[in-house]
Amino acid sequence: MRRHLLWLFLLLQTASISFAEVQPEQHVIGTDSPKETKGDTFRVEVAPAQNGRQTVQPGADLVDSAMVELRKIYHPFHHKSRKQHGIFGSLLHLAMKAVPTLRLSPLPLLEESAQKNNSDAIFILAELNFYGNYSYPKDFRAAFNNYQKLALLDGNSSALYMLGLMYSTGVGGAVERDQARALLYYTFAADQGHTRAEMAVAHRHHAGIGTPKSCETAVKYYKRVADKAIGWYRSGPPGGMGWVPESYRIADDIGGIYGEGASVVSAGANALKAHPSSDAYASIDDIIEYLDLMSQKGDFKASFNLGRIYYEGQRGLPRNLEQAKHYFFKVTQKFWGKKGNNKAVDTTKPGLDKIASKAAGFLGRMYLRGEGVDQSFDRAKFWLDRGRAFGDAQSQHGLGLMFLHGYGVPKNVGNAIEHFRAAADQDFAPAQVQLGALYLDQGNTEDPVAANHVFELAARYGNIEAYYYLAEMNFFGVGREKSCNTGLNYYKNVAERAEPLVSSWAEANLAYEAGDNELAFLEYLSAAEQGYEKAQNNVAFILDPEHSRLPIPQWLYKKAQKPELLENPSLALIYWTRSARQGNIDALVKMGDYYLYGIGTDADVDKAVQCYTGASEYQQSAQALYNLGWMHENGVGLNQDYHLAKRYYDTALETNEEAYLPVALSLLKLRAKSAWNTFTNGRINSIQDEPVSKKDWSLSEWINNFLQADEMYYEDDMDELFDDTMPGGDPGLTDMDDGIFESLAIVGLVGALVFLLMYRQQRQQAARRREEEERRQQQQQQHHGAQGPAARAAAGGNQQPQQQGGDFRGGFMPQPGDPNMGQWAGGVVGH
């Protein structure tokens, strides 16, 4: 029984040694070497040799023995497997992690060698203490001591850089933050050519961190890195080095710092406009699965898109050149067949010729560069000629490179320019760069201007060479006015785009995907010190103690305990600030939250208001507008004013329609408070109706507005129903607006109706007066003999006012001021 147990133990031990990938989170020890790290090597910086000769350091044999042991357990970073392990695989994985190994520990060997002042051993120990590799516990104080010892021993540039990083951030509590000392150590390392230190120094002089801003000094260091980056890029295969960009904000995966719809990056104009047939929320796995299904059904567009995805790669999906070649060949075979002739065999499917020419262009590029296939200029020209025959821009550019440099064909600059110009006319950025470079070589006065134009066109697509040329031309004033700031921005772009050369983005992303937030934080921290805004945002997001302001009861939600290393809100505020200074609006709102609630700093409501106001300018951040409304509503840092609070709430809703629910609830509460304030005669300014300005129109303005409104009515409603012309009609008359004639006719009819009514009333009043006159005369004749002179005089006196009031001999209507004027007007209106 014991024998079986022994054999089982040895079997598990052997399996555990071969199953070294149980620790994928190892940090690659070393510096900024441009070469890729292989699975069995480390990038370890060796102390500079004296007099140009490499000397053997004491304890070198111990370091070699330690490295042999480390290589046995080292496995390079890799993305998570897309295939899930079964239950037995998972159990085996856990068993391998639980079984103890019988390897020789390399630490005693390194410590013994370090005691002999071996620089390699000291550096490796410092890295192990700082990053906690191979389950070695982190000890930032020990790491600082080792870095300091190595810096004093031989001025190692990597050690100086790490000392600058620790003084800048105070990470791990090893030292207090001191920006002056950080800049000092960064500068010492940068002067020795340490690339990351050069970027850190450049960023500090650019942003004014620990030193006054200086464009010239920042350009000095950024240009050094840009020169290295462009040299590294051009050292690759024809067409330049290729890589998958890794820089991104981890908060963007959840819709931004404040979540989907609340952050600027996922709200308003930046919101994903998804519909049932879109892939706005689809993962890359779902897209690949769908395209593969369509490709199997014969969809050549799906095959081409799959080939392009595998060729270019993206974050979380490494390049797969074998698969790319398979799908590109699949497309070309549909059009040209498998015999290799240039005659098309299928011309019935619309668009197949264009897609096939693009696939041929990619195949030509792969043969030209030796990607996924053996490099062959003959095969490259064969495929590029096929693509060029149908106007493919990439094929034209590839042929231009072959004629320019003589790859398998005689050099011919004229042919190269012709192909480059044809591709550039199709807005192909690499061809535009090559054409611009040829313009600069001519030396004519107007050539730099033409070169600058094509470089700017190529820069729209993020071409690193275009950025470099524009940086040089702007900084030195070639073909345009000299501008230090513009050149600085272009140099910074060039430096930051060469990610595999200068940064730790790949290691940081893989560590974060593996769930090791501490290691991801340390890797992002280095990139943040180099000036990457996205890395600064990531560091602050990982350290952020308040990812949500929604208070959830502890008995409903158990908050995960953060490691002590990640409990540093003051450092989070520093990087929120640096990210905001580089234009991140959500980071600026976060700064306001920290100042408002006193997170990582003393509460300062005035600074919070400044942050929110800056983020709300031009209605960019609905969250900032909402916060300002809340502050006006409650009188926090701003005057309590319900009317202004409503304005900010309304503007927040206009900026982001997804804020309807919180804004509606806030307005409901605000209106209730405002109503109570009005009812109790409170001192707070209540919600008021917005004043509406009214303009007094003259008669001519009223008529013009009336006619314009009538014209718009007929244009909107009637033009679609009737044709503008009549057969045999006069074109001059048909061009006139019929609505004007109708309006004039209506006005004339109304005037005629009023005239007839008035005339009718006049006739009735005249007839009534005649009747009354006749009746009075009859009465006078009957009583003439009975009345005396006094009575007749009185009767004559009473008749005179009646005649004056009833007979309008003075004109068509009563005179102004006449008592009968009201009766006359009433009669007209009454009729």
Side-chain angles (χ1 to χ4, degrees):
M1 182 65 181
R2 292 181 179 178
R3 177 179 299 178
H4 292 296
L5 291 176
L6 178 61
W7 279 108
L8 179 60
F9 177 78
L10 292 176
L11 178 62
L12 292 176
Q13 178 65 31
T14 304
S16 65
I17 295 175
S18 61
F19 207 74
E21 61 269 19
V22 298
Q23 298 188 38
E25 71 280 0
Q26 305 305 320
H27 170 77
V28 180
I29 301 175
T31 61
D32 48 7
S33 172
K35 299 180 180 180
E36 286 190 9
T37 305
K38 304 299 180 182
D40 58 348
T41 60
F42 289 96
R43 291 180 290 164
V44 181
E45 180 170 342
V46 181
Q50 300 293 333
N51 300 325
R53 293 179 298 175
Q54 184 68 40
T55 59
V56 179
Q57 301 184 56
D61 54 339
L62 299 175
V63 175
D64 293 339
S65 301
M67 294 297 294
V68 170
E69 296 300 323
L70 288 175
R71 289 190 182 98
K72 292 179 181 179
I73 59 176
Y74 169 72
H75 192 273
F77 287 104
H78 61 278
H79 290 276
K80 291 182 179 180
S81 175
R82 297 184 178 274
K83 294 182 179 180
Q84 301 295 330
H85 296 290
I87 184 171
F88 294 105
S90 300
L91 291 175
L92 179 62
H93 180 78
L94 295 174
M96 295 304 101
K97 296 181 68 173
V99 173
T101 60
L102 302 178
R103 299 190 189 94
L104 175 65
S105 175
L107 297 179
L109 299 175
L110 293 173
E111 292 173 354
E112 182 180 353
S113 179
Q115 292 176 0
K116 299 179 181 180
N117 290 334
N118 185 285
S119 60
D120 295 339
I122 297 172
F123 183 75
I124 294 173
L125 284 173
E127 295 278 278
L128 292 175
N129 281 285
F130 187 84
Y131 292 101
N133 292 323
Y134 312 105
S135 302
Y136 192 79
K138 295 181 179 67
D139 189 339
F140 292 98
R141 188 66 197 177
F144 177 82
N145 292 335
N146 282 316
Y147 286 132
Q148 190 175 46
K149 180 180 179 180
L150 183 58
L152 295 173
L153 181 65
D154 55 16
N156 184 279
S157 61
S158 290
L160 291 168
Y161 169 76
M162 293 303 296
L163 288 174
L165 186 145
M166 297 186 78
Y167 271 115
S168 174
T169 61
V171 60
V175 291
E176 294 291 332
R177 281 196 293 267
D178 189 333
Q179 302 302 331
R181 288 192 177 185
L183 179 60
L184 181 67
Y185 281 111
Y186 280 147
T187 305
F188 285 155
D191 289 342
Q192 295 188 43
H194 193 282
T195 305
R196 297 188 184 184
E198 288 172 334
M199 290 187 68
V201 173
H203 174 62
R204 285 174 172 263
H205 283 284
H206 177 40
I209 303 174
T211 182
K213 290 185 178 181
S214 175
C215 180
E216 290 74 15
T217 307
V219 165
K220 170 186 173 183
Y221 288 99
Y222 268 133
K223 178 171 169 51
R224 290 184 185 179
V225 183
D227 290 341
K228 294 179 185 178
I230 205 66
W232 168 76
Y233 173 78
R234 291 170 177 171
S235 67
M241 194 73 70
W243 67 93
V244 178
E246 293 282 351
S247 59
Y248 80 107
R249 301 181 189 91
I250 56 180
D252 290 352
D253 287 342
I254 59 173
I257 297 170
Y258 291 97
E260 186 83 24
S263 308
V264 173
V265 297
S266 61
N270 300 323
L272 293 177
K273 306 298 182 182
H275 50 84
S277 61
S278 73
D279 58 352
Y281 292 97
S283 66
I284 184 63
D285 293 329
D286 295 335
I287 294 174
I288 290 177
E289 183 178 359
Y290 171 76
L291 291 176
D292 184 62
L293 177 63
M294 298 303 294
S295 176
Q296 293 176 14
K297 292 182 178 181
D299 189 337
F300 57 89
K301 293 182 180 179
S303 299
F304 173 76
N305 288 331
L306 272 175
R308 187 164 186 172
I309 288 174
Y310 281 120
Y311 178 80
E312 296 176 350
Q314 57 180 275
R315 182 177 62 85
L317 180 68
R319 301 177 71 189
N320 190 330
L321 299 177
E322 288 295 328
Q323 287 280 41
K325 180 182 67 173
H326 164 72
Y327 284 108
F328 288 143
F329 270 122
K330 192 173 182 178
V331 176
T332 57
Q333 289 172 0
K334 285 182 177 296
F335 187 66
W336 285 290
K338 299 182 179 180
K339 296 182 180 181
N341 53 18
N342 289 328
K343 186 177 181 180
V345 297
D346 188 353
T347 59
T348 59
K349 296 179 181 179
L352 178 58
D353 53 345
K354 294 296 182 182
I355 300 298
S357 67
K358 292 179 182 295
F362 274 102
L363 288 173
R365 175 184 173 89
M366 294 176 72
Y367 277 107
L368 180 64
R369 297 164 57 88
E371 295 175 322
V373 294
D374 294 333
Q375 189 176 34
S376 173
F377 295 144
D378 292 337
R379 296 296 299 170
K381 190 172 186 306
F382 170 78
W383 287 109
L384 294 176
D385 281 333
R386 277 188 166 184
R388 180 192 58 82
F390 292 89
D392 176 56
Q394 182 167 227
S395 300
Q396 294 164 342
H397 170 254
L399 289 172
L401 290 177
M402 296 185 72
F403 283 111
L404 181 64
H405 300 286
Y407 297 140
V409 295
K411 286 187 178 181
N412 191 323
V413 178
N415 283 347
I417 292 176
E418 182 181 351
H419 286 98
F420 287 144
R421 183 173 287 111
D425 290 341
Q426 299 186 56
D427 211 13
F428 192 67
Q432 291 169 338
V433 171
Q434 294 295 334
L435 199 61
L438 292 172
Y439 277 130
L440 291 179
D441 289 340
Q442 300 302 314
N444 297 325
T445 306
E446 56 278 350
D447 287 335
V449 178
N452 180 79
H453 174 68
V454 293
F455 289 145
E456 288 181 342
L457 294 176
R460 295 175 301 159
Y461 300 97
N463 187 281
I464 188 173
E465 278 195 298
Y467 280 125
Y468 182 76
Y469 279 118
L470 287 172
E472 297 278 273
M473 297 179 72
N474 279 276
F475 183 68
F476 293 105
V478 178
R480 59 187 307 158
E481 186 178 355
K482 183 177 180 179
S483 174
C484 180
N485 288 324
T486 306
L488 170 63
N489 291 327
Y490 280 122
Y491 281 129
K492 185 176 187 292
N493 268 287
V494 174
E496 292 183 352
R497 286 180 183 276
E499 295 172 6
L501 173 69
V502 303
S503 70
S504 57
W505 274 104
E507 293 89 344
N509 292 343
L510 291 171
Y512 186 78
E513 291 174 5
D516 191 344
N517 289 349
E518 291 187 60
L519 180 58
F521 161 71
L522 295 174
E523 297 286 7
Y524 285 133
L525 194 63
S526 178
E529 284 293 294
Q530 294 173 245
Y532 283 94
E533 183 275 322
K534 294 178 180 178
Q536 294 168 350
N537 197 277
N538 290 349
V539 169
F541 184 76
I542 292 175
L543 295 176
D544 186 22
E546 297 292 340
H547 283 180
S548 174
R549 298 299 305 174
L550 181 64
I552 302 177
Q554 292 294 330
W555 57 275
L556 287 177
Y557 171 73
K558 185 178 181 181
K559 189 175 181 180
Q561 188 67 27
K562 266 190 174 183
E564 184 179 357
L565 177 63
L566 304 183
E567 293 285 351
N568 198 339
S570 61
L571 187 62
L573 178 58
I574 289 175
Y575 284 105
W576 284 132
T577 304
R578 294 182 184 177
S579 176
R581 286 182 177 178
Q582 297 199 61
N584 191 295
I585 302 298
D586 288 326
L588 185 58
V589 180
K590 262 295 181 184
M591 285 177 59
D593 294 346
Y594 275 50
Y595 285 119
L596 180 62
Y597 296 105
I599 303 174
T601 184
D602 296 332
D604 192 330
V605 181
D606 292 336
K607 289 185 178 179
V609 171
Q610 292 176 7
C611 293
Y612 292 145
T613 304
S616 64
E617 289 182 353
Y618 308 109
Q619 302 181 8
Q620 290 182 327
S621 173
Q623 182 69 47
L625 290 164
Y626 181 88
N627 292 351
L628 289 172
W630 178 87
M631 297 177 80
H632 271 297
E633 178 184 352
N634 297 279
V636 179
L638 295 171
N639 294 330
Q640 194 170 13
D641 190 322
Y642 293 153
H643 185 68
L644 286 178
K646 180 182 181 298
R647 280 189 176 183
Y648 278 110
Y649 286 146
D650 291 340
T651 308
L653 184 58
E654 291 176 3
T655 304
N656 181 12
E657 296 179 355
E658 296 183 13
Y660 173 78
L661 180 59
V663 170
L665 294 176
S666 298
L667 285 175
L668 182 63
K669 181 184 67 173
L670 181 65
R671 287 188 179 279
K673 294 169 68 174
S674 177
W676 178 255
N677 177 72
T678 303
F679 179 74
T680 59
N681 294 322
R683 298 181 179 179
I684 306 172
N685 184 27
S686 298
I687 299 175
Q688 304 171 5
D689 293 334
E690 296 291 342
V692 179
S693 59
K694 295 183 178 179
K695 181 181 178 181
D696 295 332
W697 289 343
S698 63
L699 178 61
S700 60
E701 291 177 339
W702 184 88
I703 294 175
N704 290 333
N705 291 331
F706 175 79
L707 294 178
Q708 289 177 3
D710 185 74
E711 178 182 355
M712 292 176 60
Y713 169 80
Y714 281 98
E715 285 181 353
D716 294 339
D717 296 339
M718 307 301 291
D719 287 350
E720 297 180 358
L721 301 178
F722 299 98
D723 192 3
D724 292 337
T725 61
M726 294 179 59
D730 186 359
L733 295 176
T734 57
D735 292 339
M736 300 180 65
D737 193 350
D738 294 338
I740 297 178
F741 290 108
E742 294 181 5
S743 300
L744 295 175
I746 292 173
V747 172
L749 290 174
V750 171
L753 180 61
V754 172
F755 174 78
L756 292 174
L757 290 174
M758 294 169 62
Y759 179 73
R760 178 185 177 186
Q761 185 180 14
Q762 282 290 95
R763 293 291 301 271
Q764 290 177 348
Q765 289 178 353
R768 190 180 302 113
R769 286 194 301 272
R770 285 194 299 270
E771 292 176 358
E772 292 178 356
E773 183 68 23
E774 292 175 355
R775 189 167 47 252
R776 283 195 299 270
Q777 289 178 0
Q778 292 176 0
Q779 291 177 357
Q780 288 177 1
Q781 291 175 0
Q782 293 176 0
H783 301 286
H784 183 73
Q787 294 179 352
R792 288 195 300 270
N798 292 333
Q799 291 175 2
Q800 184 64 26
Q802 292 178 1
Q803 293 176 358
Q804 292 177 355
D807 188 8
F808 307 136
R809 294 186 177 88
F812 181 74
M813 62 183 70
Q815 295 296 323
D818 195 307
N820 293 305
M821 182 68 181
Q823 297 179 2
W824 179 85
V828 173
V829 175
H831 285 283

